Amino acid sequence: MAEFNTEQIRNVAVLGHTGSGKSSLLEALLFRANAITLKGRVDKGTNHADFTAQEKSHRHSLEPSFLNLDFANHHINLIDTPGLPDFFGRALLPLPGVESVLLVIHAGMGIESVTKRAFEAARGQGKVVLIAINHIDGNEALLPELLEQIQLQFGHRCLPVNLPNTAADTVIDCYLHCDQQTPTAFLSTQAARDELIDTVLEEDEQLMELYLEQGESLTPEQLHAPLEAALRMGHLVPVCFTSAEQDIGIESLLELLVNLLPSPLEANPPQFIKGFAANAAPVDVSQSPTEHVLAHVFRVTIDPFFGRMGVFRLYQGTINLGMRLFVGRERKPFKVSHLAKLQGDKLLDVSQAIPGDICVITKIDELEVGTVLHDSHDEDEFHLPEIKLPQPIFGLAISPKRRGDEQKISEVLNKLVAEDPSLQVNRSEERGQTILQGQGDLHLQIALEKAQNLFNVDMETDMPAVAYRETILAEATARYRHKKQSGGSGQFGEVELKVEPLPRGQGFEFVSKVVGGAVPSQYIPAVEKGVREAMVAGALGGFPMQDIKVTVLDGKHHSVDSKEIAFVMAGKKAFMDAVALADPVILEPIVDMQILVDQSQVGEITGDISTCRGIICGTQAKTSGVVEVNVEAPLANVGDYSTRLKSMTGGDGMFSMNFSRYGVIPDKAYKALGLNS
């Protein structure tokens, strides 16, 4: 493998809705760059990104996969991501490790649900976005309108950097080396280039003057700095055109990846944080190869042969074989005995990793998604902000098929969550159930398949359990004294708590306003522990509580009898008493749905949705008489929607759903939970 410096590296995550052609586009890029000798095909299960047995069986990308190529003296790390809505959480995992996102849109299908979510997530994390309109062959007539839709949806500064010719069998460059001789399918290359230049120079008056002085001409070197600034700010979102199947626009896309997208030194730098909670403070990293090592693990896989593997992005320092590193706050170092690059299912051994590169280490049990690798205890508390993943909304009750397998199942479920943090495992003590939660029934099905096929564990599943939550609608205060005397030293702890609602989706906030030592500071964490235990148990139906702020106002302690357990119990009881006075309610998950049906079936679909307590948010005409119906509905009423849609459309309809928010459950729906309103 050739040696590169940080300036020559490009890190790109490839996102887009299922069917947009991400994996095929990657095959075409790899083949054109001579990184592979034969292009694989998704429909034959031979493409390099989808290499697991599950992906070959389902003919879909189910996991992020890592590929790389060398082109024009640059090294490009490419990360293929799942496009199915159920796996959007997995698609988000690689974002902390890249500077740029290649967002792939099917020319015939247009902007779909995952397309919108991916763009918002990428820009929300400050990533540069390059849009590739794929499958342009056969869809030439749709391209002008699609470009308009992209500009309406994502901003008018989504501008083409190349254009298809009139036959849509090649693309014409509008930016790097503008070709004004070949006619294009729509818009002139000169008009496209002028708009690009004007957009890039909008924030740079001096360069604009120079541009005019030089006869409306600038060299690529003069344009580079303002271009990178425009990309980082989202002031410019380049749009290009491709056909992976017909090899149209592939070399042009490679040039754009190298010449347009930023290097690790040019992109928005990640904000590392040192310390936690009140002690957290931002720190900057230098990206120098001679400084202390700082690497962020953003992907973990657990392989029966290689053990726990961690894919990491190196931000600072140099990692060499044989050196010793620490994992987070672990005091004991590990030795880097295996360092590699991933090329699909292959591990390509390397002897060194430099800042900006993406590599993998193996057989390190302490690795978790989000952990930081470093070589000095000075960085023990360095970390990046936790990535926000979609909230799980589907659940299955899990139990062993064979007695005695409980511990084995627990270990396997923990492995699944370590690989995919958008899954969650919860224990419902009231129901005596272990609940595996995810983004949808397919998400859970794939996880259980993997548990059986890879880890040889058979599980029984019960009907999906909707992930209800509880919260409060008002403020309230309560005081509780825990006192226990049974010979010997006793237990004493007293606290006064105030609870108040937080905006939906804010989670939990704990604050202490105790003054004068009424509750010694060493017991405040015990109060919080008791509150958290009570929140997990719930107040009404045994559902976890959320969106609550708890403030410790006052309390009492005893110099002899006060212990941690006493304040845990006092915190728990005071919290439950306060919640009872604060108008507690049950929340239900509300989902957004995109339903694709023939226009003749729209009436039946909208009528059925109205019976599900659903709301029609709008309709949009797609291609060939297909209409997209956008719906908002309670998950509890559409959990079986796949079966119902098949019945109404004869199997022709398609839909996707994703979590939108939690809403207060209506009084009439309480009976379904076996509760009194």
Side-chain angles (χ1 to χ4, degrees):
M1 183 176 292
E3 292 187 2
F4 297 93
N5 58 38
T6 301
E7 291 88 347
Q8 294 169 303
I9 294 174
R10 302 291 183 270
N11 297 311
V12 185
V14 185
L15 277 73
H17 200 88
T18 183
S20 60
K22 300 184 302 298
S23 299
S24 298
L25 192 58
L26 285 171
E27 290 291 311
L29 292 170
L30 291 166
F31 183 72
R32 182 58 64 93
N34 297 315
I36 57 175
T37 57
L38 185 66
K39 279 202 301 184
R41 293 186 61 88
V42 175
D43 55 355
K44 294 183 178 179
T46 57
N47 66 305
H48 292 74
D50 302 337
F51 55 84
T52 69
Q54 275 188 306
E55 289 173 320
K56 291 177 183 291
S57 171
H58 289 273
R59 295 288 192 268
H60 281 292
S61 298
L62 303 175
E63 311 270 0
S65 60
F66 298 81
L67 302 156
N68 62 83
L69 59 86
D70 298 337
F71 180 79
N73 203 31
H74 284 73
H75 183 66
I76 305 174
N77 292 309
L78 296 164
I79 308 176
D80 189 28
T81 64
L84 291 162
D86 273 19
F87 299 97
F88 188 63
R90 296 185 183 184
L92 294 180
L93 287 176
L95 289 188
V98 301
E99 293 80 43
S100 306
V101 166
L102 178 62
L103 183 62
V104 184
I105 300 176
H106 191 300
M109 296 305 298
I111 300 171
E112 300 176 88
S113 61
V114 169
T115 317
K116 299 174 186 176
R117 298 171 71 191
F119 183 87
E120 292 168 359
R123 287 305 309 147
Q125 293 191 38
K127 308 302 176 183
V128 170
V129 178
L130 168 62
I131 295 175
I133 299 176
N134 195 28
H135 296 289
I136 63 172
D137 51 308
N139 292 303
E140 302 91 330
L142 303 175
L143 300 181
E145 183 181 352
L146 177 55
L147 183 59
E148 288 182 12
Q149 290 176 354
I150 290 171
Q151 291 172 338
L152 284 172
Q153 182 74 45
F154 303 135
H156 66 278
R157 291 190 172 101
C158 295
L159 301 175
V161 289
N162 62 34
L163 289 164
N165 67 351
T166 51
D169 57 6
T170 190
V171 297
I172 315 302
D173 185 81
C174 304
Y175 187 78
L176 296 173
H177 30 75
C178 185
D179 179 358
Q180 299 181 38
Q181 306 304 316
T182 307
T184 57
F186 63 98
L187 196 65
S188 75
T189 53
Q190 186 59 52
R193 179 175 173 79
D194 289 345
E195 192 169 9
L196 281 165
I197 299 294
D198 289 346
T199 299
V200 169
L201 299 183
E202 272 183 8
E203 305 297 323
D204 194 324
E205 293 183 6
Q206 289 184 337
L207 198 58
M208 176 65 83
E209 291 177 6
L210 181 62
Y211 173 64
L212 297 174
E213 289 173 6
Q214 295 181 174
E216 298 189 355
S217 174
L218 288 171
T219 66
E221 292 75 19
Q222 290 172 318
L223 276 171
H224 184 79
L227 170 66
E228 294 300 335
L231 292 172
R232 285 197 305 272
M233 294 185 298
H235 195 65
L236 170 64
V237 177
V239 180
C240 65
F241 296 84
T242 63
S243 172
E245 293 292 329
Q246 303 300 323
D247 283 331
I248 300 169
I250 302 305
E251 184 149 357
S252 175
L253 178 54
L254 282 169
E255 291 183 358
L256 292 171
L257 296 180
V258 166
N259 296 310
L260 210 63
L261 298 187
S263 75
L265 299 178
E266 295 168 322
N268 294 321
Q271 184 60 72
F272 273 82
I273 298 169
K274 182 177 182 179
F276 299 87
N279 297 320
V283 291
D284 295 327
V285 299
S286 69
Q287 301 200 68
S288 165
T290 60
E291 296 286 341
H292 286 174
V293 167
L294 273 179
H296 176 253
V297 177
F298 61 89
R299 169 74 174 146
V300 168
T301 62
I302 302 173
D303 185 272
F305 178 73
F306 289 107
R308 190 172 288 230
M309 299 195 300
V311 181
F312 66 87
R313 159 71 185 276
L314 182 57
Y315 286 99
Q316 181 177 282
T318 301
I319 296 179
N320 294 295
L321 274 175
M323 75 183 304
R324 295 188 178 275
L325 297 176
F326 299 97
V327 179
R329 289 187 280 185
E330 294 283 335
R331 304 301 295 177
K332 183 180 178 182
F334 71 90
K335 182 179 179 181
V336 181
S337 57
H338 190 197
L339 187 63
K341 299 275 292 184
L342 280 170
Q343 186 73 316
D345 60 343
K346 295 181 175 61
L347 286 171
L348 308 177
D349 291 342
V350 296
S351 60
Q352 186 181 78
I354 64 172
D357 207 358
I358 293 173
C359 294
V360 61
I361 51 175
T362 62
K363 298 183 179 179
I364 310 298
D365 292 338
E366 294 80 13
L367 295 178
E368 302 283 350
V369 170
T371 53
V372 169
L373 308 177
H374 55 97
D375 61 352
S376 167
H377 285 305
D378 292 344
E379 285 83 37
D380 277 354
E381 295 193 342
F382 277 44
H383 60 99
L384 285 174
E386 187 175 348
I387 185 171
K388 189 172 183 179
L389 297 174
Q391 193 158 5
I393 54 174
F394 281 78
L396 283 176
I398 306 295
S399 58
K401 278 190 176 181
R402 294 184 297 272
R403 292 186 63 182
D405 275 359
E406 289 83 0
Q407 181 61 32
K408 189 176 182 181
I409 284 179
S410 176
E411 292 173 357
V412 168
L413 291 178
N414 287 334
K415 288 179 179 179
L416 294 176
V417 173
E419 291 190 331
D420 179 6
S422 61
L423 290 168
Q424 286 184 10
V425 177
N426 294 302
R427 177 71 182 172
S428 173
E429 298 299 339
E430 183 174 309
R431 296 166 176 78
Q433 292 179 324
T434 297
I435 308 296
L436 178 65
Q437 292 179 315
Q439 304 305 305
D441 52 359
L442 181 61
H443 191 197
L444 299 180
Q445 174 196 333
I446 294 299
L448 295 177
E449 269 185 20
K450 185 169 188 176
Q452 183 176 36
N453 298 335
L454 199 59
F455 300 115
N456 300 312
V457 171
D458 290 328
M459 306 183 213
E460 298 280 4
T461 58
D462 204 346
M463 291 295 291
V466 176
Y468 292 102
R469 295 287 185 265
E470 298 181 20
T471 193
I472 56 175
L473 300 180
E475 293 184 12
T477 302
R479 192 178 187 100
Y480 187 87
R481 173 183 292 181
H482 175 77
K483 184 176 181 180
K484 186 177 181 181
Q485 192 76 42
S486 55
S489 63
Q491 296 179 9
F492 181 90
E494 182 175 333
V495 294
E496 182 180 1
L497 303 178
K498 181 174 78 170
V499 298
E500 52 191 307
L502 289 174
R504 200 72 69 234
Q506 292 299 302
F508 172 64
E509 186 178 341
F510 183 86
V511 178
S512 173
K513 292 188 177 179
V514 175
V515 294
V519 178
S521 59
Q522 68 263 32
Y523 293 129
I524 296 298
V527 177
E528 181 177 358
K529 181 180 178 183
V531 169
R532 287 185 178 275
E533 288 179 359
M535 288 186 68
V536 170
L540 293 176
F543 306 114
M545 305 191 76
Q546 65 181 40
D547 305 333
I548 298 176
K549 179 179 179 180
V550 177
T551 305
V552 187
L553 300 175
D554 195 11
K556 290 183 179 179
H557 74 286
H558 189 278
S559 59
V560 176
D561 291 343
S562 284
K563 298 177 178 64
E564 181 177 318
I565 183 61
F567 280 98
V568 170
M569 296 304 298
K572 182 183 295 187
K573 295 290 188 179
F575 175 78
M576 295 303 290
D577 289 349
V579 165
L581 302 172
D583 196 5
V585 293
I586 294 179
L587 302 173
E588 62 178 345
I590 308 296
V591 294
D592 289 328
M593 301 174 63
Q594 296 79 38
I595 308 168
L596 292 172
V597 294
D598 187 89
Q599 58 188 7
S600 64
Q601 298 166 329
V602 171
E604 185 176 3
I605 295 299
T606 55
D608 178 71
I609 287 296
S610 66
T611 68
C612 303
R613 294 195 286 131
I615 300 172
I616 306 298
C617 300
T619 60
Q620 181 180 355
K622 305 296 277 187
T623 59
S624 304
V626 173
V627 175
E628 179 182 275
V629 184
N630 293 293
V631 171
E632 187 180 84
L635 175 62
N637 293 65
V638 291
D640 62 345
Y641 196 73
S642 177
T643 302
R644 284 159 51 191
L645 184 63
K646 286 178 182 177
S647 175
M648 287 185 288
T649 65
D652 292 334
M654 295 187 296
F655 82 102
S656 63
M657 71 168 66
N658 57 274
F659 174 77
S660 171
R661 58 186 172 81
Y662 269 96
V664 176
I665 192 169
D667 289 347
K668 61 183 179 182
Y670 270 64
K671 291 182 180 179
L673 302 179
L675 301 169
N676 295 321
S677 61

